[in-house]
Amino acid sequence: MASRTEPSGCSGRGGGGAPGILPLPPLLLLLAAAALVPRGDGQNLVTEDVTVVEGEVATISCRVKNSDDSVIQLLNPNRQTIYFKDFRPLKDSRFQLVNFSNSELRVSLTNVSVSDEGRYFCQLYTDPPQEIYTTMTVLVPPRNLVIDIQKDIATEGEEIELNCTAMASRPATTIRWFKGNKELTGKSEVEQWSDMFTVTSQLLLTVGREDDGVPVICLVDHPAVKDLQTQRYLEVIYKPQVRVLQNYPLQGLTREGEPLELTCTAFGKPQPTEVKWLRVDDEMPQHVVVSGSNLLINNLNKTDNGTYRCEASNAVGKSSADYMLFVYDTTATTESAAHGFTRLPNPAEELNYGDLSDSRAGDEGSIRAVDHAVIGGVVAVVVFAMLCLLIILGRYFARHKGTYFTHEAKGADDAADADTAIINAEGGQNNSEEKKEYFI
């Protein structure tokens, strides 16, 4: 009966006609019957599946619940014996014995490769023999993670294409995109080469000036690796953002005889190369002093009223901001002309990267125009209401004007003379019918 402890996978160990050994056909039948036994159910053998990253160490364990000192052996996916008890017939030195006892056979495999993946069999030589298998899964992390950007320098409002490629992984990776802390959605394609997968994700992004210097991150989700990512910083060029600041007077009105000082600020990428002042729809007064981005009027007068524009340009384009000037009388107060005072843009207005304007306009006739318009509107409404009332009353009286009666004597027309007609009329008056006429 010693033949029952022979390892079924050992080469050169079992011969069909050797004395004292069971004939080969009955042994094959025993092994086949053992293979048909359900995995782990109603058996003494216990094992678990193994998942390991390529290049790392995997541990395979064959355990016996109720040991009866039966022999345990471990076989590889080709059903070659790795360990028979504590002996290793296989010449692969990567397999090392970790623990051997009557209740456990534990073996380690170093430097795991994809070729090691498959089913490993635990066999227990009982009567009948028992067998279960454990599945080893080998994970391969992406070897390269690269972002390819369509244009290194993009213009504001332009759509650019970015591609992130994760090469030679197993299983296929999942690629996620981020712009700063905001997650974006890309489109992925998977290519399979043998047992490896290459994933390419495409991202279409319309850039603005706020994206300049912001990182675009390609992040990989894969069971074999954590926090694998790469990033590229966006470089966006845009036309200038222009603002007009009033340096003097800081507050209050621009009164006749007082000075006015304005400063034009412009920021863009690349930095604006030219900043200039002009007067809209009119020539610049001769006494106005322009020095670079500054505009100075030493002695304001009524002829200075108008719109002054600052323009700035760079390689991307040109932008401008306007300042509306109204010169008040020297006796004007802030309260009397507060309607014409417009302060500098608030932060919400600054988010608009178009033409920004800082203006002060206070034509005192504007209030009178508004008042006249309001009065005219009220008068029109009153006149319209009176006309409607007259029409309604007219229709009402016409419908209820009343009725009147005519008493026409029957037979009066056939009388020979007037006296006869009168007699006939008086005689027939009682029998006459009332004729009513209605006027609507």
Side-chain angles (χ1 to χ4, degrees):
M1 299 299 293
S3 61
R4 295 190 180 182
T5 62
E6 287 289 331
S8 63
C10 292
S11 60
R13 299 275 304 190
I21 300 178
L22 287 175
L24 184 58
L27 179 60
L28 292 177
L29 289 175
L30 288 175
L31 293 176
L36 294 175
V37 176
R39 184 185 175 202
D41 294 337
Q43 298 189 70
N44 285 331
L45 278 175
V46 179
T47 188
E48 296 88 17
D49 290 338
V50 178
T51 301
V52 61
V53 177
E54 184 183 37
E56 296 185 358
V57 179
T59 301
I60 305 171
S61 176
C62 301
R63 299 188 304 278
V64 181
K65 293 181 182 177
N66 301 309
S67 176
D68 57 358
D69 296 332
S70 298
V71 176
I72 309 172
Q73 75 168 347
L74 177 64
L75 288 76
N76 67 11
N78 296 323
R79 301 196 72 88
Q80 297 171 324
T81 301
I82 301 173
Y83 268 92
F84 178 76
K85 300 173 65 174
D86 58 351
F87 173 68
R88 190 190 72 205
L90 197 66
K91 294 183 179 180
D92 191 343
S93 61
R94 296 180 303 149
F95 289 97
Q96 295 294 323
L97 184 65
V98 177
N99 181 47
F100 171 73
S101 67
N102 292 333
S103 60
E104 183 183 32
L105 173 62
R106 191 189 312 165
V107 177
S108 67
L109 173 61
T110 59
N111 194 22
V112 177
S113 66
V114 175
S115 61
D116 296 320
E117 189 173 80
R119 288 182 176 181
Y120 289 75
F121 300 91
C122 296
Q123 290 184 346
L124 181 64
Y125 281 88
T126 58
D127 189 9
Q130 299 180 34
E131 180 180 288
I132 61 173
Y133 65 84
T134 175
T135 302
M136 180 183 294
T137 303
V138 180
L139 306 177
V140 181
R143 285 176 169 77
N144 292 297
L145 188 62
V146 180
I147 291 182
D148 179 34
I149 190 168
Q150 181 183 21
K151 297 180 68 175
D152 291 333
I153 301 177
T155 304
E156 179 183 19
E158 184 178 11
E159 184 180 68
I160 61 174
E161 178 182 330
L162 298 94
N163 290 281
C164 182
T165 303
M167 300 178 0
S169 66
R170 185 179 186 195
T173 62
T174 299
I175 294 179
R176 300 166 63 192
W177 288 98
F178 291 86
K179 186 181 72 172
N181 295 323
K182 181 181 179 181
E183 185 167 2
L184 306 175
T185 302
K187 181 181 179 181
S188 295
E189 293 183 357
V190 180
E191 297 181 7
Q192 183 174 0
W193 300 90
S194 184
D195 293 332
M196 299 297 178
F197 298 87
T198 295
V199 180
T200 300
S201 180
Q202 180 190 69
L203 176 67
L204 298 177
L205 181 63
T206 301
V207 297
R209 65 180 64 201
E210 66 278 2
D211 296 323
D212 184 45
V214 174
V216 174
I217 302 169
C218 173
L219 177 68
V220 165
D221 281 341
H222 193 274
V225 66
K226 293 182 178 180
D227 300 327
L228 177 60
Q229 65 181 41
T230 184
Q231 64 183 22
R232 290 284 298 270
Y233 286 90
L234 297 173
E235 184 172 357
V236 183
I237 58 176
Y238 46 89
K239 65 181 182 179
Q241 174 188 351
V242 183
R243 293 185 61 202
V244 175
L245 303 177
Q246 180 179 306
N247 295 333
Y248 188 87
L250 295 176
Q251 294 179 347
L253 305 178
T254 49
R255 295 185 180 87
E256 193 171 10
E258 295 184 353
L260 172 67
E261 183 179 355
L262 303 177
T263 298
C264 178
T265 62
F267 176 78
K269 187 174 182 180
Q271 191 63 20
T273 55
E274 182 182 8
V275 176
K276 65 178 181 179
W277 284 94
L278 56 91
R279 187 178 183 183
V280 180
D281 298 332
D282 204 347
E283 294 183 357
M284 187 73 77
Q286 294 183 355
H287 59 279
V288 173
V289 179
V290 176
S291 176
S293 61
N294 295 324
L295 182 146
L296 175 64
I297 303 177
N298 287 315
N299 190 4
L300 289 172
N301 59 66
K302 296 289 187 179
T303 61
D304 297 328
N305 289 342
T307 302
Y308 294 81
R309 176 171 296 169
C310 174
E311 291 183 349
S313 60
N314 60 8
V316 181
K318 180 172 66 173
S319 299
S320 63
D322 292 343
Y323 178 90
M324 288 180 55
L325 172 64
F326 179 81
V327 180
Y328 294 91
D329 295 332
T330 55
T331 58
T333 62
T334 303
E335 291 77 9
S336 63
H339 66 276
F341 180 75
T342 305
R343 292 189 177 274
L344 299 179
N346 56 37
E349 294 172 333
E350 293 175 9
L351 294 177
N352 180 6
Y353 297 109
D355 294 345
L356 301 179
S357 62
D358 304 330
S359 63
R360 296 180 65 189
D363 190 350
E364 298 176 359
S366 60
I367 286 186
R368 291 192 296 271
V370 173
D371 294 340
H372 292 163
V374 172
I375 295 172
V378 173
V379 171
V381 171
V382 173
V383 171
F384 179 78
M386 293 179 65
L387 289 175
C388 292
L389 181 60
L390 290 175
I391 293 172
I392 293 172
L393 291 175
R395 292 180 61 85
Y396 175 84
F397 287 119
R399 287 179 177 273
H400 299 78
K401 188 173 182 180
T403 61
Y404 67 93
F405 298 96
T406 59
H407 303 280
E408 297 179 1
K410 290 183 178 181
D413 294 337
D414 298 330
D417 51 33
D419 294 335
T420 305
I422 292 173
I423 294 172
N424 290 340
E426 291 177 352
Q429 186 173 0
N430 294 331
N431 297 326
S432 65
E433 297 180 356
E434 293 180 350
K435 292 185 179 180
K436 299 181 180 179
E437 293 183 5
Y438 299 89
F439 292 89
I440 298 176

